[in-house]
Amino acid sequence: MSPAPRSTKRSVLALTAASAAALLLLAGCSSSSADTPPATAGGSDLISAERCAENQAAGPITFLTSFGFVASAGLLDVVTAADKGFFKDLCLDVTLEPGSNNTQLVSAGTAQFAGVGSPSDVLVAIDNGADVSGIATYGNTVAITLMTMADGDVKSLSDLAGKTVGYKGAIPPQISAMIAEEGVDPTSINWVNVGYDPTILPQGQVQALTGYKSNEPLALKAQGYDVKEWDPADYGVKSAFNTQIVNNTFAQEHPTAVEDFLRASLHAYDWINESDANLDEALGYAEKRSESGFDKEASLARWQTEVSLIDESQPADLPIGGENAAQWQPEADMLLEYGLIKQKADVDAAIDDSFIQKIYDGNDLIWPAP
């Protein structure tokens, strides 16, 4: 196994005198450590009794994954936080479910948190009336890619004219922006909505295919296909990826629960990246939860690819998960330009970075909670 990319972020202890004193108030509560979940959900010896009570008042919390139980940033770390007991350490009762219509379900309060692919998903949902906010974004570069066969007819983006290009759901605005940057008329391309099997590209059913850098290209290369990737970032396109959302009413009523959901998840993110052994253990947690087969080698490659993208693109003034308007604005502009939202997005209103700000000391995650 090749070494996992290392996160540059660290956790710092926040066990203050007040929280230490609270240990005396928690007689009868189960002990806990970073490796052993508490035996009961009645309390925790890591945080104050007051904060524990506030988090317990949030009640059962449901997190919807962005896509099954794949090894993606913002997903594998949440799985790990659950299975390592980090949520219980902070008195949170968290259940994980495979995602489906995440923004609608979180907006309706059916779930409290969810992962989505990028800020674009949040902005489109809000444009359609969803009552959600983005509370963490992991990557600060384009995660979308365009693939062609290395020995195919597409030698430049201008060669896409007259070709069939596959996409899933909607044409990614990052791809549209890249093509426009090269002066290609998008109406000259035969766009087709396709499924999740990337082998339609080497089989010749499409001449180009959109996908995620950490998924389809790796899958095709693992099967021996030689593909060329066209990276929108190379054409000046700015974007971000893997965003966590929250129901706004829940966030207003239970702010410490939102803070500590992110705290536990990002603590797990740091823990996973500490060693190959930790990453292997985390992949095992995802494998146990997966109901439709789990390719551990492909999952390892996905995680390593995403962590590399995150580390390489991380702004110096933002911690892992940090958000700001400058990060989201390029996607908001692309969505409006390509007609994926009806009106100009209010990026500042779509983001609530207050929770991330409260769980970090600079770029160091505060663990455990005060």
Side-chain angles (χ1 to χ4, degrees), residues 5-10 73-74 135-142 238-243 266 269-270 273 305-324 326-328 353 356-357 360 362-365:
R6 302 299 177 87
S7 170
T8 58
K9 306 298 181 279
R10 306 183 306 277
I135 52 172
T137 297
Y138 284 70
N140 291 272
T141 189
V142 185
K238 298 184 182 299
S239 185
F241 69 91
N242 290 17
T243 296
L266 291 163
Y269 181 90
D270 286 344
N273 289 316
T305 299
E306 292 193 7
V307 171
S308 291
L309 290 171
I310 290 167
D311 283 347
E312 291 166 4
S313 66
Q314 191 63 31
D317 61 342
L318 283 179
I320 297 292
E323 295 180 326
N324 59 33
Q327 178 196 55
W328 282 44
D353 66 346
I356 282 285
Q357 289 185 12
Y360 276 98
N363 285 348
D364 291 330
L365 181 69

Side-chain angles (χ1 to χ4, degrees), residues 5-258:
R6 302 299 177 87
S7 170
T8 58
K9 306 298 181 279
R10 306 183 306 277
S11 296
V12 294
L13 294 178
L15 193 57
T16 63
S19 59
L23 299 179
L24 300 176
L25 302 177
L26 292 173
C29 292
S30 59
S31 65
S32 175
S33 71
D35 295 321
T36 306
T40 72
S44 170
D45 62 2
L46 290 184
I47 63 175
S48 70
E50 179 182 3
R51 191 176 188 93
C52 183
E54 289 175 347
N55 286 349
Q56 288 175 330
I61 292 169
T62 298
F63 171 81
L64 302 177
T65 71
S66 54
F67 185 73
F69 289 101
V70 300
S72 187
L75 197 165
L76 183 62
D77 41 308
V78 178
V79 169
T80 301
D83 287 9
K84 290 290 289 182
F86 297 156
F87 290 128
K88 288 184 179 179
D89 285 340
L90 303 182
C91 298
L92 296 174
D93 178 11
V94 179
T95 299
L96 279 57
E97 299 288 347
S100 174
N101 301 318
N102 284 5
T103 54
Q104 296 95 318
L105 292 172
V106 172
S107 178
T110 305
Q112 287 69 48
F113 298 93
V116 296
S118 74
S120 290
D121 296 282
V122 187
L123 296 170
V124 169
I126 292 173
D127 187 64
N128 290 324
D131 187 27
V132 300
S133 293
I135 52 172
T137 297
Y138 284 70
N140 291 272
T141 189
V142 185
I144 298 288
T145 188
L146 182 71
M147 298 165 286
T148 60
M149 298 305 297
D151 59 357
D153 294 335
V154 179
K155 305 301 183 184
S156 68
L157 290 176
S158 61
D159 292 334
L160 291 173
K163 301 294 193 299
T164 299
V165 179
Y167 66 91
K168 290 175 282 294
I171 301 170
Q174 299 90 341
I175 300 300
S176 296
M178 175 177 68
I179 291 171
E181 186 67 25
E182 287 297 284
V184 179
D185 180 1
T187 64
S188 69
I189 298 172
N190 178 30
W191 298 97
V192 292
N193 198 349
V194 299
Y196 290 94
D197 180 7
T199 61
I200 62 172
L201 177 61
Q203 290 170 0
Q205 295 173 255
V206 296
Q207 287 74 60
L209 180 67
T210 66
Y212 287 92
K213 294 175 182 176
S214 63
N215 187 12
E216 291 90 347
L218 302 181
L220 289 173
K221 290 173 185 176
Q223 296 177 57
Y225 296 113
D226 189 8
V227 299
K228 176 176 175 56
E229 292 187 58
W230 305 84
D231 184 355
D234 292 338
Y235 295 82
V237 177
K238 298 184 182 299
S239 185
F241 69 91
N242 290 17
T243 296
Q244 307 288 48
I245 61 172
V246 70
N247 174 277
N248 284 335
T249 300
F250 179 86
Q252 292 166 6
E253 294 178 350
H254 304 289
T256 64
V258 179

Side-chain angles (χ1 to χ4, degrees), residues 245-316:
I245 61 172
V246 70
N247 174 277
N248 284 335
T249 300
F250 179 86
Q252 292 166 6
E253 294 178 350
H254 304 289
T256 64
V258 179
E259 291 171 28
D260 290 346
F261 175 87
L262 291 175
R263 190 191 309 272
S265 301
L266 291 163
H267 179 56
Y269 181 90
D270 286 344
W271 178 86
I272 292 170
N273 289 316
E274 285 176 1
S275 69
D276 288 343
N278 288 3
L279 173 55
D280 187 66
E281 184 177 334
L283 293 173
Y285 296 145
E287 184 174 20
K288 288 179 182 178
R289 289 177 179 267
S290 181
E291 298 178 353
S292 57
F294 189 87
D295 186 331
K296 203 164 186 179
E297 287 303 312
S299 298
L300 170 66
R302 181 196 290 261
W303 178 263
Q304 291 180 328
T305 299
E306 292 193 7
V307 171
S308 291
L309 290 171
I310 290 167
D311 283 347
E312 291 166 4
S313 66
Q314 191 63 31

